Amino acid sequence: MENSLKGLLLAAGTVITCIIIGLGFYIAREARDTASSGAGQINRLNAEFMESDKIMYDGIHVSGSEVVNVINKFKNDDLCVQVDTKKGGLVSYGYTDTTLSIKSHHTIKETQNLKGAYYVNPNGLFQGEVLRDDNNVIVGLLFRQQ
């Protein structure tokens, strides 16, 4: 009787040990999946945060003075800021186009010259738009006068 009791205790101990090890593997797998999902979300949020200073102009109306501020703010960045005024048409600042291959020769002073073709009326209303390349990277901002 004593041997059969020891055998039953050994079998029960083995079963309990297998259950505990199985639970451990299950918990580790779930933790890995959760960590992977969390890392992906953090990467997406980080990308959005890095673009937030440009995305904020997508689809909103801004004043001409804000357009001039944007041109000044991004003048040293790899970004094409395009302004389409009713008086002078489309002009680019920073880079000439969204391929970011050629630097533009236009300056911020042209936006402030009242008699110039590229004057930006500080009280004018402009619709902002974000321009992206094929890799979904922001390469430009476009402001059209309304």
Side-chain angles (χ1 to χ4, degrees):
M1 174 95 168
E2 194 174 304
N3 284 339
S4 62
L5 185 59
K6 284 184 181 180
L8 284 173
L9 287 175
L10 181 61
T14 303
V15 169
I16 291 172
T17 302
C18 288
I19 290 172
I20 291 173
I21 290 173
L23 283 173
F25 279 116
Y26 173 77
I27 291 170
R29 187 172 46 248
E30 289 296 316
R32 183 190 68 220
D33 292 345
T34 302
S36 175
S37 173
Q41 288 176 347
I42 288 172
N43 287 338
R44 280 191 300 278
L45 288 172
N46 191 28
E48 288 178 15
F49 178 73
M50 296 298 287
E51 295 178 340
S52 66
D53 59 340
K54 299 170 190 90
I55 290 177
M56 63 187 252
Y57 297 107
D58 196 23
I60 67 165
H61 290 86
V62 295
S63 67
S65 61
E66 181 63 21
V67 171
V68 174
N69 288 339
V70 168
I71 294 168
N72 197 36
K73 177 179 179 181
F74 295 116
K75 66 183 175 187
N76 295 323
D77 289 2
D78 289 336
L79 192 70
C80 173
V81 179
Q82 296 178 330
V83 181
D84 188 6
T85 62
K86 292 181 179 179
K87 182 177 181 181
L90 186 66
V91 64
S92 297
Y93 300 91
Y95 283 88
T96 57
D97 59 11
T98 56
T99 61
L100 304 180
S101 57
I102 301 171
K103 280 282 210 184
S104 174
H105 65 277
H106 294 286
T107 65
I108 193 85
K109 291 185 180 196
E110 294 174 358
T111 65
Q112 299 164 339
N113 181 2
L114 184 62
K115 296 180 182 179
Y118 304 117
Y119 174 69
V120 175
N121 181 357
N123 298 319
L125 188 62
F126 291 81
Q127 172 81 32
E129 180 182 342
V130 172
L131 306 173
R132 295 180 181 267
D133 66 5
D134 293 335
N135 286 334
N136 205 29
V137 175
I138 295 176
V139 291
L141 296 172
L142 171 63
F143 296 97
R144 292 188 195 279
Q145 190 170 16
Q146 300 295 302

